[in-house]
Amino acid sequence: MIKHRTLVSVGTLTVSALALTGCAGSDGDAAAGGTTELSLLVNVTPNLTEEFWNELVAPFEEAHPDIDVVVQNPGAEGVAAALPRLLTAGDAPDVVQSLPPTVDLAPELVDLSQYEWASGGPLADQYSIDGKYYMAGIGFQLQSLWFYNKTAFEEAGITGTPTTVEELTTALGKLKDAGWTPIQTGGDWMTSHSLQTLGLPTIVGQDPEWFARMSSGEVTFADTYGATVETYAEWVAKGYVPKDALGIKYPDAEQAFLSGKSAIYPMGSWFAGTEAKAEEKAEIGVFAAPAAQGVGTPAMGANIASPYSILKTSEDQDAAAELVEFLVTDQTAVADQLEVDGNFRDGYEYDMDELGQELQQIVADTPAEAYTPTGQGYGERTLPVGYSDEINAQTQALIGGTPAADVEAAMDDWFASTIG
């Protein structure tokens, strides 16, 4: 018998159920009903519905009749806001999903280093803190990607996907000459995504310690990111990046590329989920963002998909570990989670169209050590707080015509004032 229950929201939980029963997973529940109750705080979205989560844990409960998994919905505030509040109130869940461990959060989490499914899982080393593994994830959310319109490439006479930044720049010129808008980007958070997709494969590919060296002031932005900024400024000057891009919202940019109005779209792997559902679309392919000529292994920007952590306050950490192991290793459970949010993991396949298969091949071809954070970073590879906003603002200035040298100087000034 499936015993899971879904709580309407964490708010409801704290004012009613917990007022009567105490923390989820308590020994009292086990003594009364012969079962261990595990609370699982999850991210609920239009894709990751409460029904999805309940169906996901059902096979685990069937195989463990002594464990009752209670799925907790954080409501509108989301997991990131709900967990600190629950920790303060003494009502923390047993397991939390979707919240990568940080230096501040790590003291609240169980060290999972003893479990191979955690220490050897996707991006485990990249998310480790002080050599310890506080989370286990299901797969990768790739970010250093260039989606491309296959018709545009054919019309421009481009017979293969670019393998270096230099080849990419040449391809953009051919696309513009053929009458295409070369790069589809936009305003909001999208702006700096294209700059990072251009730069990080080379920058981190040459210096895997770049995040630490930037944060310590050992190197400067101009010295390490300068060539990328100058290349991007050249792209803007030549019209490869439309100057009106800043007025384009994310949904509009996505639809413009999907419908065949532009040639190349720098975006994360989640775009494949949108493409798979679209009834009318251009013929689209994807290639990993290349590095500059001479870089042996380009870095691949990626985030962990659906990280799970166990709270130290859990009164049955062994049962919680069994649940997490199921969620991150069971073939069906992992494949279902990957598919619903358009994520990928080598060896775990689901029904994919041609674009999804191309992304799966990129995952298979990417060495584990090549993965890198983007933006502000994660694990021990982080940049000062506010970096993502600053690089986004400066990229917008670059598209608006600010000289590359001024952008580099502004970023150096920001780092100097932030690091102190």
Side-chain angles (χ1 to χ4, degrees), residues 297-311:
T297 303
M300 166 56 72
N303 286 335
I304 190 70
S306 206
Y308 291 94
S309 296
I310 299 172
L311 276 295

Side-chain angles (χ1 to χ4, degrees), residues 72-117:
Q72 292 181 236
N73 181 346
E77 68 177 335
V79 171
L83 184 61
R85 179 172 59 75
L86 292 173
L87 283 166
T88 301
D91 294 334
D94 294 284
V95 178
V96 61
Q97 176 266 347
S98 80
L99 200 60
T102 63
V103 172
D104 291 336
L105 183 59
E108 308 291 345
L109 306 177
V110 174
D111 179 6
L112 303 178
S113 301
Q114 64 178 304
Y115 302 111
E116 194 281 331
W117 46 261

